[in-house]
Amino acid sequence: MLGLHFILLGFQALSTALTSHGVAFYDPTQSGGSMLDNAGGGGGEPLNVIISGLSSPAVLTDDGILHFAQAVGFSYECLGFHLGDPQSANLGDGNGWVNQTMELRQDYGDDEIGTCLETLVGGNHFRVYRQNGTAANSGALFLAVSQEEDLAEGHTIIPDGYNIGRDKLVANAVGVTSHEYTTYSTVAQNLTGLLAAGSVGVNHGIATDGMTVLLTVTIIDHS
Ligand SMILES: *[C@@H]1O[C@H](CO)[C@@H](O)[C@H](O)[C@H]1NC(C)=O
Ligand SMILES: *[C@@H]1O[C@H](CO)[C@@H](O)[C@H](O)[C@H]1NC(C)=O
Ligand SMILES: *[C@@H]1O[C@H](CO)[C@@H](O)[C@H](O)[C@H]1NC(C)=O
C-alpha cells in the first residue's frame, strides 16, 4: 500500500514538473521591479513570501491560492468587506505596477465568518501579486504578509509585523496541510539579498530582517 502511494506521488511530481513554468521566480529588481509594493503615501510593504512557480500549477491560480490559504488558516475578506485601497507591485515582468490580485485574512478556524473576527481583532493577512508578464513569466505568486492591529487601531501593522506575519504564515504552511479534498506538501527556503534589511522605503517605517521565504507547494492528494 505504502509503496503504491509513493509511486503515485512520484507520478504526480513528474506531471507537475512537466506542466509548470519551469522556474521558481525571477528577481523583480533585476528588471526594473521592486520587492516592496506601493502602499500609497510613499512607502511599501515587503514581498516577504513567494509561492514558487515550481509549485503545482493548480496552486497558482486564483482559486488555487485561496484553497491553499484556507488550508493554512486564511480566507477571503469578511463578507466581501474591504478596508483600505488596493496596493500595487511591479514584479519586473513587463506588466509595470499592477494592483493586488486579492487580499486574504486569517480566518480563526472558520472560512465563512472567521475573517470578520480578523477585521475586528487584527491578525495575519496578505496581499497576492502574480508574476506573469511576458518578460518574466514564472507564474510565481509574491505575497506581502503582515500582522495587523485591531480595527480600533485602524488596522495598522504591529511593530515587527512584517517579520512576524511572514513567520506565522510559514510555520502554518510548512509540511503537510489540507483543505476539503486537497492535501498539500510545502517546503520552505530562506532567501536573503532580495530585500534590504532595515526600514528604508518600508511602509510605516517598520524595520524587517530582509528575508523572503520561498514556498514550494505540491498537491499530493486530491480526492
Ligand atoms: C487600482 O486600484 C485603484 C484604487 O482602487 C484604482 O483606482 C485603479 O483603477 C486600479 N488600477 C487598475 C489598473 O485596475
Ligand atoms: C496575469 O495575472 C493577472 C493578475 O492575477 C491576471 O489578471 C491576468 O489575466 C494574468 N495574465 C495572463 C496572461 O494570464
Ligand atoms: C529560515 O530562517 C528562520 C529564522 O531565521 C529559521 O528558524 C528557519 O529554520 C529557516 N528555515 C530554513 C528552511 O532554513
Side-chain angles (χ1 to χ4, degrees):
M1 276 303 275
L2 202 57
L4 178 61
H5 195 56
F6 278 110
I7 290 166
L8 290 175
L9 286 186
F11 180 75
Q12 188 142 27
L14 179 66
S15 54
T16 298
L18 290 175
T19 52
S20 70
H21 295 246
V23 62
F25 69 97
Y26 294 99
D27 177 355
T29 66
Q30 297 304 301
S31 47
S34 175
M35 286 295 288
L36 292 172
D37 76 7
N38 179 356
E45 297 190 337
L47 301 175
N48 48 10
V49 171
I50 299 173
I51 309 290
S52 172
L54 298 177
S55 300
S56 297
V59 173
L60 300 171
T61 64
D62 287 359
D63 279 352
I65 186 62
L66 174 61
H67 289 142
F68 176 66
Q70 288 173 332
V72 304
F74 291 79
S75 195
Y76 39 82
E77 290 189 290
C78 173
L79 308 174
F81 175 64
H82 182 72
L83 267 172
D85 290 332
Q87 301 186 2
S88 60
N90 182 346
L91 300 179
D93 59 1
N95 285 345
W97 291 89
V98 175
N99 284 349
Q100 65 200 42
T101 296
M102 65 178 90
E103 186 165 349
L104 298 170
R105 295 181 183 279
Q106 188 176 354
D107 72 8
Y108 290 100
D110 185 315
D111 286 353
E112 297 296 327
I113 61 165
T115 60
C116 301
L117 191 58
E118 198 278 352
T119 299
L120 291 173
V121 305
N124 211 355
H125 93 304
F126 63 86
R127 305 167 194 281
V128 180
Y129 303 97
R130 180 174 285 118
Q131 187 174 52
N132 68 351
T134 51
N137 188 8
S138 66
L141 302 176
F142 286 63
L143 275 41
V145 189
S146 57
Q147 179 84 10
E148 294 178 310
E149 305 272 18
D150 64 22
L151 192 58
E153 299 293 325
H155 265 228
T156 50
I157 310 304
I158 65 168
D160 204 29
Y162 297 116
N163 293 338
I164 291 172
R166 175 201 62 207
D167 290 348
K168 283 188 171 178
L169 181 147
V170 169
N172 282 356
V174 165
V176 174
T177 55
S178 62
H179 180 69
E180 292 176 350
Y181 305 110
T182 310
T183 303
Y184 306 92
S185 173
T186 301
V187 177
Q189 188 186 339
N190 292 338
L191 306 174
T192 52
L194 287 171
L195 276 163
S199 62
V200 175
V202 180
N203 200 26
H204 306 301
I206 295 170
T208 77
D209 59 13
M211 195 167 76
T212 292
V213 178
L214 178 67
L215 295 178
T216 306
V217 183
T218 305
I219 294 175
I220 55 172
D221 191 31
H222 186 79
S223 55

